[in-house]
Amino acid sequence: MYSFELSEEQKMLIDAINRYASSDLRLKAHDADEENQFAESIVEKGWELGFLQASIPEQYGGFGERSAVTGVLAAEEFAWGDMAGALAVMTPGLYVTPILLGGSEDQKLELIPPVIEAEWQPYTAALIEPYYDFDPNDLRTTASLNGDGYTLKGKKAYVPYAAEASAMIVYANLDGLTQGFVVPAGTPGLEIGEREKLMGIDAYPLYKVSLNDVHLPTSSRLGGSAGHDFAPILDSARVTMAAMAVGVSRAAFEYARDYAKDRDVFGVKVAQKQSIAFMLAEMATEIEAIRLLNWEAAWMQDQGKEEASKHAYLALTGAIDMAMMVTDRAVQILGGHGYIREHPVELWMRNGRGIAILTGLAVI
Amino acid sequence: MIDFEVPKPIAQQRVALQTVAENMMRPVSRYFDEHEHEVPWDYINFMNMAMRAMGAGYLAPREEKKNGDKPKEKRPPIGYQSLAFMLESLSWGDVGLYLVTPGGGLGAAAVEATGTPEQKKKFLARFSEDKPTFGAMAMTEPQAGSDTSAIRTTAVLDRQNNEWILNGEKIFVTGGHKSLELSDGLVVVWATIDPSAGRAGMRPFVVEAGTPGVKVTKMEHKLGIRASDTVSIVLQDARLPFENILGSPEVEAKTTRGFKGAMATFDATRPLVAATGIGVARATLELLKELLEQQGVHIRYGLPRQKLTSIEKDFIDMEVMLHSAWLLVIKAVWMADNRKHNPLEASMSKVRAGDVVTKITQKAVEIMGPLGYSRDHLLEKWFRDAKITDIYEGTGQINRLIVARNILDYSGRELR
């Protein structure tokens, strides 16, 4: 039976995130972008909303169940405030959620509670690699069976908080399959490189990482020696990024709409010109269409539908184009003012381009 | 709670309609495209029988039956959702043939949206008769297309005989010939009771087949949907009983109720029209996939765009367009079922459907090259059929205007 209404709990959660996103993330987004960081206190405040904690069952230290639908609602709302801030708050999920989805029972019991029961800490994951045709299902970083464990070799890019993280999940190609490995900080051969300087999301600290024959015990592989299915993790990463695209686009749309309603041109408001009004109408339609596509993809994950992976891929594909189209138009509608960093639309346009590149920087 | 499960009754209905589409529509699709104005009686008679058996009929869900003593467990209403699925399935078969499906069509939808309970009873009963019966809606005039407030057809009340006298010309009436000349159907004609009042003067009137002074004057030749007749109707001192004016008793007062009635009809029918376009586009994508596979091309999902071929990228983008547009339709009809005000969502679904079904059908012809352009296959026909989606029931531009006014909170005067 179709329904497009949020549950009461979802509404409460989204309201809480919205307050945080508007009073904290949005207000600080500009300075954070210029200074390349958010204050720890802001990240901690977002963490205390308990979004990740609520998606982890009690036996692992949380107080709820994972729902991809709730996850995409939350990710949209955080990203509506600021994408870099949203990614920062959600960083520990990069470590916890894949363990929840692919880990053995022992790994879940051992690794999840210390992260979930504490204050925000930089636990992270390394998926993206520095190649134009980076493909999460065909990684260049390799894992090979070596005596009583695995040896990891390769280059990673865009690894959040790598310099401070206590541990990270490194994804590597094991005989053609993408598998996750838990790598504690300080493991010999794990080399943290310089901080990335990107076009957008610059308030989010990302690092280059090299794996120079990193030797790991069998128990470090997600799911133990039997391994795990990477698809649910990738599906989650895709709908999360698509949800962030919706959040960023909604922010840009609203800002452009309000600006166009406020500014005079030739004796009327800018928004009273059809050329602008139609752009806004198309932006709103596009956002709503992709939001629904992504909700359905997330719902399919929760229901364990066979088509879930394909639909997560379709949703992200649509979200990539939607984010670029909407954020570009927001800048265009503001004209010269859109190009000035005093207005946030240029930041959203830079972040909007990132949707195509940043899959793997958040999971829900 | 957010849910995307297709309701069971709809899923079952869908299987039945797929059979109809495959066996009663596809085999004659090309024939009726090439024999414009020939009437597909086999299909019409079959559908009349089948739809009566199914209890379906016109473009609006039936009122819930009142059940004697014990009210059944309340289920969420799915009437409009069911219709959207039905229209999508039939249009997957052939949208031109779907348009000549007996039942009330847009005429019944207008009666349903604006009529009193007595009027609904009186005018809609004919669509459940043994003989196939048709309904249509007449809005457009030679000088008034999208700007419906410029309508010139007049309705003057003859108080002595308690009759309305209608004069004017209507064009582009879908199914008008079948409604007035091939069956005892009806056409809902929008006319003004006060030409100086603009929109405030507009009222819907039920013009029944056989009314003296009503004449079908022209049958158009079209780019596509050729199985469906599109006609001009001239009303010359056509006299109607007083009660054929749709709506409540105070219809004579100068309010914008009439125009709002027209718009309420569109809120209900726009997502349904969008659904028909989506049926055509789905048919296109499915055939495209099949033809590509015959040539050894298989679409790979899950790869970064950098690794996709151009055809794969196009195909995947088309799937995104199609499915996201379909979900907008579903949301709009779900809102209608749940009595939520949906003009924004209705127009959004129409905007997006109009865009994507034209893009998809045009791209498919290009991708299949000489095969796509050839009448050996149906791709070129669907290209022609799909285009109407972006035109009728409000062009893409008119629907953009409605979306824009809604999101900007502007009146028609503020955003012209």
Side-chain angles (χ1 to χ4, degrees):
Chain A
M1 206 58 87
Y2 283 105
S3 172
F4 299 90
E5 268 165 343
L6 276 59
S7 69
E8 283 310 310
E9 298 90 77
Q10 286 169 337
K11 277 184 200 158
M12 280 163 59
L13 175 69
I14 297 310
D15 279 351
I17 296 177
N18 180 271
R19 281 194 297 277
Y20 167 73
S22 46
S23 62
D24 293 283
L25 292 183
R26 184 68 71 83
L27 279 186
K28 297 286 190 305
H30 176 265
D31 290 349
D33 181 60
E34 302 275 330
E35 292 158 14
N36 300 337
Q37 64 175 347
F38 270 100
E40 264 178 50
S41 58
I42 289 189
V43 177
E44 174 62 23
K45 194 172 168 188
W47 173 253
E48 282 167 12
L49 293 171
F51 155 67
L52 183 63
Q53 295 88 325
S55 73
I56 303 294
E58 267 176 48
Q59 66 264 38
Y60 312 127
F63 53 85
E65 289 295 328
R66 176 176 177 270
S67 153
V69 170
T70 306
V72 296
L73 296 172
E76 173 185 334
E77 213 57 37
F78 276 122
W80 174 85
D82 180 66
M83 192 162 145
L87 290 166
V89 170
M90 293 168 73
T91 303
L94 279 176
Y95 182 79
V96 165
T97 304
I99 294 171
L100 183 72
L101 290 171
S104 65
E105 192 59 25
D106 285 349
Q107 287 169 332
K108 292 182 201 176
L109 288 168
E110 184 197 333
L111 302 173
I112 297 177
V115 183
I116 280 299
E117 290 170 349
E119 293 182 347
W120 182 94
Q121 305 163 78
Y123 281 85
T124 188
L127 175 67
I128 299 175
E129 300 179 340
Y131 308 100
Y132 85 95
D133 59 349
F134 160 68
D135 179 352
N137 283 312
D138 186 16
L139 297 176
R140 285 179 171 82
T141 298
T142 55
S144 46
L145 202 54
N146 185 357
D148 58 345
Y150 297 97
T151 302
L152 268 56
K153 204 173 178 165
K155 274 192 239 166
K156 291 289 178 184
Y158 294 36
V159 184
Y161 292 99
E164 305 142 65
S166 314
M168 66 176 77
I169 293 172
V170 174
Y171 295 94
N173 187 331
L174 179 65
D175 301 328
L177 287 180
T178 296
Q179 292 288 289
F181 296 85
V182 178
V183 183
T187 303
L190 177 70
E191 183 190 328
I192 311 299
E194 63 191 44
R195 185 168 166 177
E196 305 273 10
K197 298 188 187 76
L198 307 179
M199 184 171 89
I201 60 162
D202 252 356
Y204 191 43
L206 299 167
Y207 294 85
K208 299 181 197 300
V209 168
S210 297
L211 297 125
N212 309 317
D213 293 320
V214 174
H215 193 68
L216 300 167
T218 314
S219 62
S220 69
R221 182 177 172 191
L222 283 192
S225 53
H228 67 100
D229 184 2
F230 178 58
I233 298 171
L234 181 58
D235 295 346
S236 169
R238 282 178 168 153
V239 296
T240 309
M241 196 44 60
M244 290 196 172
V246 173
V248 172
S249 301
R250 196 181 101 210
F253 160 73
E254 289 171 358
Y255 197 92
R257 177 198 62 195
D258 295 346
Y259 181 90
K261 282 192 77 170
D262 186 54
R263 189 175 168 89
D264 296 304
V265 62
F266 303 118
V268 293
K269 298 295 179 190
V270 169
Q272 287 177 277
K273 297 287 180 192
Q274 279 195 357
S275 63
I276 301 296
F278 279 20
M279 283 167 81
L280 288 164
E282 287 165 6
M283 289 154 77
T285 304
E286 189 76 21
I287 292 169
E288 179 68 0
I290 299 302
R291 178 190 284 123
L292 293 178
L293 194 64
N294 199 42
W295 280 9
E296 189 190 42
W299 173 84
M300 285 177 168
Q301 279 174 38
D302 288 342
Q303 301 295 314
K305 300 269 179 194
E306 209 178 307
E307 298 254 272
S309 289
K310 179 182 164 184
H311 279 260
Y313 176 71
L314 293 180
L316 179 61
T317 300
I320 286 168
D321 293 342
M322 181 258 315
M324 198 65 258
M325 179 271 231
V326 172
T327 56
D328 173 81
R329 285 183 175 197
V331 170
Q332 189 69 24
I333 288 170
L334 267 73
H337 293 277
Y339 205 71
I340 306 291
R341 295 217 298 272
E342 267 169 43
H343 290 282
V345 286
E346 62 81 29
L347 170 64
W348 290 329
M349 183 180 166
R350 288 185 279 124
N351 291 347
R353 180 69 289 173
I355 301 300
I357 289 96
L358 304 175
T359 298
L361 289 198
V363 290
I364 40 95
Chain B
M1 197 70 168
I2 292 168
D3 196 339
F4 286 87
E5 196 75 55
V6 178
K8 271 218 180 74
I10 293 182
Q12 286 161 356
Q13 164 194 284
R14 216 178 178 193
V15 176
L17 289 169
Q18 180 79 12
T19 314
V20 172
E22 278 170 9
N23 298 306
M24 299 302 295
M25 303 176 95
R26 286 289 178 88
V28 295
S29 229
R30 179 58 75 187
Y31 179 87
F32 286 103
D33 181 56
E34 294 187 343
H35 296 78
E36 197 165 14
H37 301 162
E38 214 172 288
V39 183
W41 282 115
D42 285 350
Y43 169 76
I44 291 170
N45 288 324
F46 171 82
M47 285 308 281
N48 192 53
M49 193 185 68
M51 309 243 315
R52 282 176 54 227
M54 279 164 50
Y58 45 87
L59 267 180
R62 297 285 164 95
E63 302 258 322
E64 294 284 318
K65 271 187 195 147
K66 285 193 179 109
N67 232 348
D69 28 36
K70 272 191 184 165
K72 270 201 227 162
E73 201 192 322
K74 250 199 170 173
R75 287 208 201 104
I78 55 167
Y80 278 109
Q81 294 166 61
S82 177
L83 271 170
F85 271 92
M86 178 174 126
L87 270 49
E88 196 270 353
S89 290
L90 290 177
S91 303
W92 178 92
D94 186 291
V95 67
L97 287 170
Y98 147 69
L99 285 165
V100 303
T101 305
L106 293 177
V111 173
E112 185 68 41
T114 59
T116 63
E118 297 75 40
Q119 287 173 327
K120 290 183 197 179
K121 206 170 158 192
K122 180 178 175 199
F123 294 123
L124 298 177
R126 72 196 65 205
F127 299 117
S128 320
E129 298 290 320
D130 284 349
K131 270 175 64 186
T133 308
F134 300 87
M137 180 143 116
M139 176 79 84
T140 306
E141 299 184 357
Q143 307 303 325
S146 295
D147 182 7
T148 49
S149 64
I151 276 172
R152 291 180 190 175
T153 297
T154 55
V156 177
L157 183 60
D158 170 0
R159 289 185 192 275
Q160 217 161 19
N161 296 302
N162 208 26
E163 283 177 336
W164 294 97
I165 306 170
L166 269 61
N167 278 289
E169 184 185 3
K170 292 288 178 183
I171 63 168
F172 299 165
V173 182
T174 301
H177 182 244
K178 292 183 182 67
S179 302
L180 294 177
E181 301 200 346
L182 295 185
S183 72
D184 291 326
L186 58 81
V187 176
V188 172
V189 173
W190 293 82
T192 175
I193 55 171
D194 181 357
S196 66
R199 283 174 180 171
M202 267 176 71
R203 295 291 181 277
F205 294 86
V206 175
V207 175
E208 295 174 276
T211 304
V214 181
K215 210 173 157 194
V216 173
T217 54
K218 184 184 178 194
M219 291 176 78
E220 304 286 355
H221 296 83
K222 303 191 297 294
L223 173 68
I225 54 165
R226 290 182 184 164
S228 161
D229 64 277
T230 303
V231 305
S232 300
I233 296 172
V234 168
L235 301 126
Q236 203 164 20
D237 291 330
R239 287 180 165 267
L240 314 176
F242 178 80
E243 58 272 20
N244 281 30
I245 183 168
L246 287 171
S248 54
E250 67 265 30
V251 282
E252 279 185 82
K254 269 195 199 178
T255 66
T256 53
R257 191 185 299 275
F259 181 72
K260 282 185 178 147
M263 293 304 113
T265 307
F266 287 138
D267 292 346
T269 54
R270 278 180 174 144
L272 298 174
V273 169
T276 64
I278 285 173
V280 180
R282 180 166 66 89
T284 302
L285 269 189
E286 288 177 10
L287 179 58
L288 177 61
K289 190 167 196 177
E290 195 184 314
L291 293 173
L292 285 171
E293 280 174 0
Q294 283 171 15
Q295 312 260 323
V297 178
H298 297 269
I299 309 297
R300 298 166 301 162
Y301 294 91
L303 291 172
R305 273 191 175 148
Q306 289 88 332
K307 287 188 175 179
L308 294 173
T309 64
S310 163
I311 286 179
E312 285 173 330
K313 183 179 172 303
D314 282 341
F315 193 91
I316 288 165
D317 286 347
M318 290 193 274
E319 260 190 288
V320 169
M321 290 180 206
L322 180 69
H323 198 63
S324 61
W326 176 235
L327 292 176
L328 286 180
V329 170
I330 299 282
K331 185 175 175 188
V333 290
W334 170 83
M335 289 178 78
D337 277 333
N338 289 283
R339 310 218 173 259
K340 294 173 192 287
H341 193 51
N342 73 343
L344 171 63
E345 289 76 8
S347 283
M348 272 187 172
S349 73
K350 179 67 168 56
V351 165
R352 182 127 175 126
D355 271 358
V356 308
V357 306
T358 48
K359 275 186 198 151
I360 288 168
T361 52
Q362 290 166 9
K363 191 50 124 179
V365 169
E366 185 199 351
I367 287 177
M368 287 317 296
L371 304 180
Y373 203 65
S374 162
R375 285 198 269 163
D376 287 349
H377 292 292
L378 288 168
L379 291 176
E380 67 78 30
K381 176 181 181 295
W382 291 335
F383 166 111
R384 291 181 287 111
D385 287 348
K387 182 60 198 169
I388 193 64
T389 315
D390 205 21
I391 296 171
Y392 63 6
E393 212 68 4
T395 61
Q397 288 62 44
I398 285 299
N399 279 293
R400 274 170 176 74
L401 202 52
I402 294 168
V403 172
R405 284 174 188 157
N406 273 280
I407 58 174
L408 290 162
D409 198 19
Y410 276 163
S411 65
R413 189 172 311 166
E414 287 167 303
L415 183 60
R416 289 175 186 275

